[in-house]
Every structure is written in C-alpha cells, then in structure tokens.
Amino acid sequence: MALAATIATKNPDAIRAGKRLLNHSLDIPVDARLRFETELQLQLLGSKNQMEAVMACKDHAGSVSGLGDPRDQTRSLDAYLDQFKARRPR
C-alpha cells in the first residue's frame, strides 16, 4: 500500500511511460531498448505534468538543483528544454 501511495504522487505520464518501457523492452536488444527509452523521455519533456513536477521540485528545494539562484536555474532549465524540443521528432 505504501508503494501505491508513493506512485500516486508521481507524474502519471512518467509512470505510464515507465510501464511501457518495462512491458515492451524485455525481449528486445539493448540498443533498441535505449532508443525506446529516449523516445519515451522526449515525449515527456516539456509536457504539462513534467513541467509541474519540475516546478514543484524547484519550489521545494529553492532551485531545480537545490543550488544557486532559482532564476538562473529556471533560465538554464528553459534552455535545456528548448534544445530537446528542437530535436523532438514530429
């Protein structure tokens, strides 16, 4: 029951992606598994739930990494997400 309570607090999209990765990657080669994981992660980046999780972490820790000025961390995160969005397959 404790595990279910912990999972319930996590990003539901990330939980679904993790389940998909586990269910579909058991019988495929490692390189295909890594490509599939990357594809799933790219789908999550910048999503509403992912951004809410980042902001909640930032609010809790004072910054994304827990170090430095939160404004600098937010600018760094925005630049990081912009790079991945630009590479995201359409």
Side-chain angles (χ1 to χ4, degrees), residues 22-57:
L22 286 173
N23 289 332
H24 296 300
S25 66
L26 295 175
D27 298 324
I28 60 176
V30 173
D31 59 332
R33 193 176 314 155
L34 292 173
R35 280 194 303 275
F36 186 51
E37 179 182 10
T38 299
E39 178 185 316
L40 292 172
Q41 288 181 8
L42 288 173
Q43 291 171 12
L44 293 172
L45 280 175
S47 70
K48 181 180 178 238
N49 283 332
Q50 189 265 339
M51 293 306 294
E52 287 177 3
V54 168
M55 295 310 289
C57 179

Side-chain angles (χ1 to χ4, degrees), residues 38 41-46 50-51 74-90:
T38 299
Q41 288 181 8
L42 288 173
Q43 291 171 12
L44 293 172
L45 280 175
Q50 189 265 339
M51 293 306 294
T74 300
R75 282 190 290 273
S76 296
L77 177 63
D78 290 341
Y80 178 77
L81 291 174
D82 287 343
Q83 287 177 345
F84 277 98
K85 287 178 186 177
R87 291 186 215 158
R88 180 188 243 169
R90 306 220 183 255

